Amino acid sequence: MAELGRAALLVTLGLSLYALVAGGAAAALGRRRLALSARNALLASFFSTLVAAGVLVAGFVRDDFSLAYVAGHSSRALPLQYKISAFWGGQEGSLLLWIVLLACWTVAAAFGVARLPPRFAARVLGVLGLVSFGFLLFTLATSNPFLRLVPAAPDGRDLNPLLQDPGLAMHPPLLYAGYVGFAVAFAFAVAAMLEGRLDQAWARWTRPWTLAAWAFLSLGIALGSWWAYYELGWG
């Protein structure tokens, strides 16, 4: 399973790199088929990302302590709901959650830009491919959640007691959805600069994505504040 998860991330890395190159080439050469292939690559990367995430969730649910990340953030006695939310209880899983949410936003943007000028849309796809490639490369190089533990641990070290709370299940996904959502606004801004059209049109195209990301981020911050207050008080 660890090899499957790692392979899925490597496939996603390759697809993101292709989307970066194809999106840039489509904008430079005016080739609609290249832009379509960049979009399809990003759609395929969404599914390969889901495979990687599913492997890690299965590792927690099955108490697979041959995975170093699972052994470090779970235990056999941990309730099921916290085993699932332990997915993002540490750095490696948090980065994978970030990548999953980025894939979700990227798919939404890939369909959302279909009505925009083709060159602009291709640039947006290329920038999103670049952002995805960067996070995937960093994760695989420094924070791989699928590293093996040999021999496998008999039991895990358990999840940090402060994180064994319903707040862990809701706060990070909402907060990350907000943070990651601004990658779409960033892609629109870069595409507009490359096109040389910093006018009202690109601001109008970007506004719904910015407001959606802002809403997620606001909910995440509010929930995080409530969680921190009742868990820690004022210190």
Side-chain angles (χ1 to χ4, degrees):
M1 294 294 285
E3 287 69 30
L4 175 61
R6 191 181 303 114
L9 287 182
L10 286 170
V11 168
T12 308
L13 180 74
L15 290 169
S16 299
L17 179 60
Y18 177 80
L20 162 63
V21 174
L29 303 174
R31 301 286 182 85
R32 294 182 66 92
R33 293 188 65 180
L34 269 177
L36 182 61
S37 70
R39 190 193 73 171
N40 291 339
L42 291 174
L43 296 180
S45 71
F46 168 73
F47 292 104
S48 57
T49 302
L50 289 185
V51 170
V55 167
L56 190 59
V57 170
F60 276 104
V61 172
R62 295 171 54 246
D63 295 324
D64 184 0
F65 299 126
S66 67
L67 287 172
Y69 183 70
V70 175
H73 296 85
S74 185
S75 69
R76 297 186 188 279
L78 193 67
L80 178 61
Q81 66 270 27
Y82 296 142
K83 286 182 179 180
I84 295 174
S85 56
F87 180 113
W88 47 84
Q91 175 177 307
E92 293 86 349
S94 293
L95 280 168
L96 183 53
L97 174 64
W98 188 284
I99 291 168
V100 169
L101 292 171
L102 179 58
C104 294
W105 279 103
T106 299
V107 167
F111 286 106
V113 299
R115 296 167 295 178
L116 302 182
R119 286 171 59 92
F120 185 89
R123 293 193 192 279
V124 170
L125 296 178
V127 174
L128 287 173
L130 173 63
V131 174
S132 300
F133 179 79
F135 277 108
L136 284 157
L137 187 62
F138 178 80
T139 299
L140 285 165
T142 68
S143 302
N144 191 339
F146 299 108
L147 293 179
R148 281 286 190 187
L149 189 63
V150 180
D155 201 351
R157 297 174 58 188
D158 205 10
L159 182 65
N160 185 328
L162 291 177
L163 300 181
Q164 295 183 30
D165 187 275
L168 178 65
M170 299 178 287
H171 166 61
L174 283 173
L175 193 70
Y176 282 18
Y179 281 137
V180 177
F182 283 107
V184 179
F186 170 76
F188 272 76
V190 172
M193 287 189 290
L194 291 173
E195 287 281 294
R197 53 175 309 164
L198 295 174
D199 52 14
Q200 292 185 352
W202 86 268
R204 186 174 64 253
W205 298 335
T206 311
R207 187 178 298 117
W209 302 98
T210 306
L211 289 176
W214 175 84
F216 277 114
L217 190 57
S218 299
L219 286 172
I221 291 172
L223 181 59
S225 302
W226 167 74
W227 178 24
Y229 177 73
Y230 83 73
E231 185 73 38
L232 302 174
W234 291 108

